[in-house]
Amino acid sequence: QQQAEEDSRHDARAGHFMASDNDKEESWKAILFPDGKVQIGWLTLSLIVVVILVTVWSGFNFTSSFSQKFFITQIVLLNGGVGWKSGFSEICSGQVWRLWSTFFLHTGWSHLLGNVFWLAILGNFVEKRHGPLTLAGMLFFVQPLTSLFQCLIRGPFFTGMSGSLAFLFAYLWLRGVLSPQLRIGLHKYVIWLTVVWQALVFSGVMGHAGQPAHAAGLIMGFGWASITANVEKWKAQKAEN
């Protein structure tokens, strides 16, 4: 009988530890993934793969003919710096892909891994809640605008998707507040971490990062969330009448 009681206590302790492990597992899933399920949408995953392949293939050599195709305009090396042609001559001559191509090229491993992480979180939330077409439409709309704004303020020597990520964050945050029925559900830890990330960018601690692109992305993301939430509200009211 004593042995049976000890076995019972041992099983109870084991069950407690297993439950604790499961709770922790569910916790991080709930923080990072919609509905607490470790699933990444096919579009988000495809973008991540292409971004990694392009950046790795570039070898972080931004003067190579391969890398030059991903800048918004062609970069030329000058004495101790870089230069470029004014007026977006390449885009005006038909190389319109340059409006989107900066999305795929990154300046270093930390830049690449950081942006891939945020794309996996924010892009996945949009894709899971609204579908891949909405995510594609958002990125197609915002990437050129943030790139142009960044170029006009700081010049064309920039890469990455930070402006688009700022847009996705601003949209998800405000839309979750304005339309709780959508259950967008960005976890508070994700919101806090993103706010800290944006604060570091704008403070200059991270150097001359893409502050103009970040600012443009945040403004457009908040605007998109406000417009779509109000349109949805208007449609609901109209349907009731």
Side-chain angles (χ1 to χ4, degrees):
Q1 183 179 1
Q2 183 178 0
Q3 182 63 38
E5 290 177 355
E6 290 179 356
D7 291 343
S8 177
R9 286 195 296 270
H10 174 76
D11 292 341
R13 287 195 298 270
H16 171 72
F17 291 135
M18 290 176 63
S20 299
D21 291 340
N22 289 334
D23 289 343
K24 290 180 181 178
E25 186 178 9
E26 291 175 1
S27 178
W28 71 261
K29 288 179 182 178
I31 291 172
L32 298 178
F33 295 94
D35 303 320
K37 298 177 181 178
V38 184
Q39 297 176 345
I40 297 182
W42 68 266
L43 178 58
T44 302
L45 184 59
S46 299
L47 289 172
I48 289 172
V49 171
V50 174
V51 165
I52 293 173
L53 289 176
V54 167
T55 302
V56 171
W57 189 265
S58 75
F60 305 114
N61 178 10
F62 304 118
T63 60
S64 69
S65 58
F66 176 80
S67 297
Q68 285 289 324
K69 292 181 174 62
F70 290 87
F71 285 98
I72 196 169
T73 190
Q74 189 168 351
I75 305 295
V76 293
L77 292 179
L78 301 175
N79 294 331
V82 295
W84 57 87
K85 295 179 181 179
S86 60
F88 304 106
S89 58
E90 292 87 0
I91 293 175
C92 293
S93 66
Q95 298 179 24
V96 293
W97 73 80
R98 292 180 181 272
L99 291 169
W100 292 273
S101 57
T102 54
F103 183 96
F104 299 100
L105 189 65
H106 290 73
T107 56
W109 286 110
S110 60
H111 188 207
L112 172 65
L113 296 177
N115 276 358
V116 163
F117 170 79
W118 285 115
L119 179 60
I121 302 302
L122 302 174
N124 194 46
F125 263 95
V126 172
E127 183 170 0
K128 290 298 183 181
R129 288 293 181 258
H130 297 312
L133 287 179
T134 297
L135 175 60
M138 286 180 169
L139 295 177
F140 187 84
F141 166 78
V142 74
Q143 181 66 24
L145 297 179
T146 56
S147 294
L148 287 170
F149 192 67
Q150 176 74 23
C151 184
L152 291 173
I153 301 298
R154 293 276 174 82
F157 193 66
F158 66 91
T159 60
M161 62 181 87
S162 298
S164 293
L165 295 177
F167 171 92
L168 295 178
F169 166 69
Y171 169 78
L172 288 167
W173 186 8
L174 185 57
R175 191 69 197 276
V177 173
L178 298 178
S179 306
Q181 72 278 5
L182 293 180
R183 297 179 61 250
I184 289 176
L186 274 185
H187 195 279
K188 62 181 180 180
Y189 292 157
V190 174
I191 294 174
W192 292 347
L193 185 58
T194 312
V195 169
V196 170
W197 166 50
Q198 294 293 334
L200 290 174
V201 168
F202 285 108
S203 70
V205 172
M206 302 175 68
H208 289 292
Q211 288 95 342
H214 280 250
L218 289 172
I219 292 170
M220 287 189 289
F222 286 132
W224 189 304
S226 179
I227 291 171
T228 52
N230 281 292
V231 168
E232 185 180 77
K233 184 178 179 181
W234 174 78
K235 287 182 178 179
Q237 291 175 344
K238 187 176 180 180
E240 291 177 357
N241 296 332

